[in-house]
Amino acid sequence: MSNKIYIFDTTLRDGEQVPGCQLNTIEKIEVAKQLEKLGVDVIEAGFPISSPGDFNSVVEISKAVSNPTICALTRAVKKDIEVAAEALKFAKRGRIHTGIGTSPYHIYQKLNSNPEEIIERAVAAVKYARQFVDDVEFYAEDAGRSENEYLARVIEAVIAAGATVVNIPDTTGYCLPKEYGEKIAYLVNHVPNIDRAIISTHCHNDLGMATANTLAGIVNGARQVEVTLNGLGERAGNTALEEVVMALRSHKDLDYETGVDTKQIIKTSKLVSTLMRMPVQANKAIVGRNAFAHSSGIHQDGVLKNRETYEIIDPADVGVKESSIVLTARSGRAALKHRLEVLGYKLDKDKLDHVYKNFLVLADSKKDISDEDIEVLVGHEKKEERVLKLDNFQVICGKSCIPSATVTINHNGTIMTHNAIGNGPVDAAFSAIKTMLQVEDAVLEEYLVQAVTRGSSEIGKVHIQLSKDGRTVHGFGANVDILTASVWAYLDALSKII
């Protein structure tokens, strides 16, 4: 049996059935071209009879791409098949995908039929489709809940009728991996003509088993997998293309191969997410923004020493430039030192310890620390060498009270404290400092506040311009607390005067 696994992408058909994810023809062509670059073997372009838009999309995609087989979905209905054949007339390699339900739920309740009639309809549909194309895929809808013996009879009959691919969908996502794998193995061992067709998986994720079921299908004999980018699809979605491809690539002992250019995975995922207006969850395997992000100090230290300590996939293999070391309150010195070096800073142990101490204080008030925050921390460390250092301060302000501030500073080793009132908390703090340092003649020429990063809990930067005795100086400060940033900036400017 071949070790080649064919990738059948149904993002533009099953994936597009997600509410709010519908694409126009131009968008579908853009996705199809990217799927061609990705290296998928089959693109299920749509369900032509369902709407004029779907019909036109299949036509235009057939014209736009050359390498993948273009597939069109139908029911086991003559008109469906005729319309699909018409839509595929420009395809270099066209496939009609027809089928019917085979579980008791579908036979008796949905179709109001019986098992023998279902086989007759299935065979008739495949034979009719073969009049238009040489490549016909048959799907046994709800095969996951179909009886294996009956399913084998259906599959044997449609292969005899000319089906080149037989699709065994776990339509409701009901199966467990062992159960689904055994179903594929049963067909391999009990359908006499199974060697004349490729077995395909099509698993839904209602119980979170889609990828596991698909892999179980491969191990037991399936050689085509029906998947979508980002796991999009009906209800809880379909098997995610990126998960299956990277699972097979990571487990080289399984000895399966696909034609996918894995470095195109992230690019394709982002394109699909953008055009379908469906964000990818942060912790989504392979393509989520946290898939290669490390925030724990222990993990960060391990990854910095050897990537394989905590990563089984090289980010570059899927199109990610590098792992992300996310600085949070759980990060250690190693991660902070690494980030500082990336930004061009090399601090000795004492300064690194001091920056790390301030880093932890900042990290406790923010979800994560940006490069801009790191620049601020390093800048503050340099300011700590000034003759004036902020030791502590507190303010009282509100609608019904006069703003006041108590400021404690370290002036060359001497601790000084003073209290003052003002027109607001910033003015009160500045007044306390001026009186304490006896620099009442220092004139505040400019006071500018600006955001370094977005969000109400992010860092704000303060720029101050002071003049005294004809001399003008500037001070800078930054902090998540804008009052603290203001006092730092004021002291930074006064340090240059004193």
Side-chain angles (χ1 to χ4, degrees):
M1 187 178 289
S2 170
N3 65 350
K4 161 74 174 178
I5 304 300
Y6 294 93
I7 303 299
F8 177 115
D9 185 273
T10 185
T11 304
L12 295 176
R13 201 277 301 170
D14 211 333
E16 206 210 12
Q17 290 175 199
V18 177
C21 287
Q22 287 67 43
L23 302 177
N24 60 40
T25 299
I26 294 174
E27 291 170 330
K28 285 186 177 183
I29 291 171
E30 186 176 358
V31 172
K33 286 182 175 180
Q34 181 57 36
L35 290 172
E36 184 174 33
K37 289 181 183 177
L38 182 63
V40 305
D41 299 288
V42 183
I43 296 175
E44 188 163 48
F47 187 2
I49 203 168
S50 66
S51 72
D54 245 32
F55 179 90
N56 187 54
S57 293
V58 175
V59 170
E60 296 305 322
I61 289 170
S62 297
K63 296 176 183 178
V65 299
S66 302
N67 295 325
T69 295
I70 304 302
C71 180
L73 184 73
T74 80
R75 296 165 296 181
V77 175
K78 276 192 171 185
K79 185 62 176 177
D80 282 27
I81 294 168
E82 290 166 1
V83 172
E86 178 65 18
L88 290 168
K89 65 183 179 181
F90 295 106
K92 294 172 180 63
R93 281 178 294 279
R95 175 186 295 181
I96 292 177
H97 189 189
T98 191
I100 197 167
T102 56
S103 73
Y105 298 95
H106 283 245
I107 294 172
Y108 298 110
Q109 297 174 32
K110 176 186 172 183
L111 300 170
N112 193 28
S113 184
N114 61 72
E116 297 308 318
E117 184 183 349
I118 292 298
I119 293 178
E120 290 175 7
R121 291 173 63 178
V123 168
V126 170
K127 285 183 176 179
Y128 193 57
R130 278 301 299 261
Q131 294 181 27
F132 300 98
V133 294
D134 293 329
D135 190 2
V136 175
E137 178 172 343
F138 173 82
Y139 64 84
E141 190 174 9
D142 204 18
R145 294 188 297 174
S146 298
E147 297 172 353
N148 287 350
E149 290 184 9
Y150 176 69
L151 183 61
R153 287 179 58 203
V154 175
I155 297 305
E156 180 181 358
V158 296
I159 292 175
T164 52
V165 181
V166 287
N167 178 12
I168 314 302
D170 183 22
T171 306
T172 60
Y174 173 77
C175 290
L176 299 177
K178 182 175 182 293
E179 181 182 8
Y180 188 76
E182 288 175 348
K183 188 178 290 287
I184 299 299
Y186 185 90
L187 297 176
V188 170
N189 294 321
H190 292 84
V191 175
N193 56 359
I194 196 68
D195 59 314
R196 290 163 49 188
I198 293 172
I199 299 176
S200 180
T201 67
H202 182 111
C203 299
H204 282 258
N205 205 39
D206 297 71
L207 294 176
M209 303 286 182
T211 296
N213 283 340
T214 298
L215 293 172
I218 291 171
V219 170
N220 284 280
R223 289 297 176 267
Q224 177 180 282
V225 293
E226 305 194 5
V227 292
T228 62
L229 263 297
N230 305 334
L232 291 173
E234 287 273 6
R235 305 180 310 279
N238 287 40
T239 306
L241 177 152
E242 61 275 7
E243 293 176 12
V244 173
V245 168
M246 294 313 296
L248 295 178
R249 183 183 174 107
S250 298
H251 288 269
K252 292 181 171 57
D253 54 307
L254 294 177
D255 195 29
Y256 298 116
E257 62 181 33
T258 71
V260 171
D261 177 1
T262 61
K263 288 181 170 58
Q264 294 286 330
I265 285 178
I266 291 295
K267 182 178 180 180
T268 313
S269 167
K270 288 181 177 178
L271 176 66
V272 169
S273 175
T274 300
L275 293 182
M276 289 192 164
R277 298 164 291 282
M278 180 61 73
V280 177
Q281 66 190 64
N283 65 330
K284 169 72 176 66
I286 315 300
V287 295
R289 71 171 183 270
N290 291 344
F292 300 100
H294 307 273
S295 66
S296 161
I298 295 173
H299 285 227
Q300 290 172 339
D301 183 53
V303 167
L304 289 172
K305 289 174 178 174
N306 185 331
R307 181 190 58 77
E308 293 182 354
T309 305
Y310 287 101
E311 289 182 350
I312 60 172
I313 297 171
D314 186 340
D317 286 346
V318 297
V320 177
K321 185 177 180 181
E322 61 183 356
S323 302
S324 175
I325 302 297
V326 181
L327 296 178
T328 70
R330 295 175 299 282
S331 298
R333 282 177 176 79
L336 179 59
K337 181 182 179 184
H338 167 75
R339 199 67 201 152
L340 285 166
E341 289 175 351
V342 169
L343 294 172
Y345 298 104
K346 288 191 176 182
L347 305 183
D348 61 33
K349 184 179 182 303
D350 289 341
K351 287 189 176 180
L352 177 62
D353 287 346
H354 201 268
V355 170
Y356 182 64
K357 178 181 176 182
N358 290 331
F359 160 79
L360 290 178
V361 172
L362 180 61
D364 276 335
S365 64
K366 294 190 65 182
K367 288 183 178 180
D368 54 70
I369 305 297
S370 67
D371 287 349
E372 291 88 350
D373 298 334
I374 298 299
E375 298 273 4
V376 167
L377 289 172
V378 175
H380 178 57
E381 171 60 22
K382 293 178 180 178
K383 291 179 180 60
E384 287 296 308
E385 300 171 3
R386 301 290 190 189
V387 295
L388 299 175
K389 301 177 184 178
L390 177 63
D391 187 76
N392 192 20
F393 93 101
Q394 61 181 23
V395 297
I396 298 173
C397 61
K399 184 178 179 181
S400 58
C401 65
I402 298 173
S404 66
T406 301
V407 183
T408 301
I409 65 174
N410 183 325
H411 183 194
N412 278 338
T414 301
I415 302 300
M416 307 170 67
T417 301
H418 195 76
N419 175 270
I421 60 174
N423 293 325
V426 173
D427 183 53
F430 288 0
S431 295
I433 294 171
K434 283 198 296 184
T435 302
M436 191 175 0
L437 296 174
Q438 299 179 1
V439 288
E440 285 88 349
D441 55 340
V443 179
L444 180 62
E445 302 283 358
E446 185 176 78
Y447 171 70
L448 176 65
V449 179
Q450 56 189 143
V452 175
T453 48
R454 297 178 180 179
S456 60
S457 66
E458 300 296 299
I459 279 186
K461 185 176 182 180
V462 175
H463 166 234
I464 279 177
Q465 180 178 308
L466 289 179
S467 63
K468 184 177 184 297
D469 301 328
R471 182 184 174 198
T472 299
V473 295
H474 300 267
F476 300 92
N479 195 274
V480 289
D481 178 3
I482 202 65
L483 295 178
T484 300
S486 299
V487 174
W488 275 348
Y490 197 67
L491 290 176
D492 183 38
L494 285 176
S495 290
K496 296 169 185 176
I497 290 177
I498 293 176

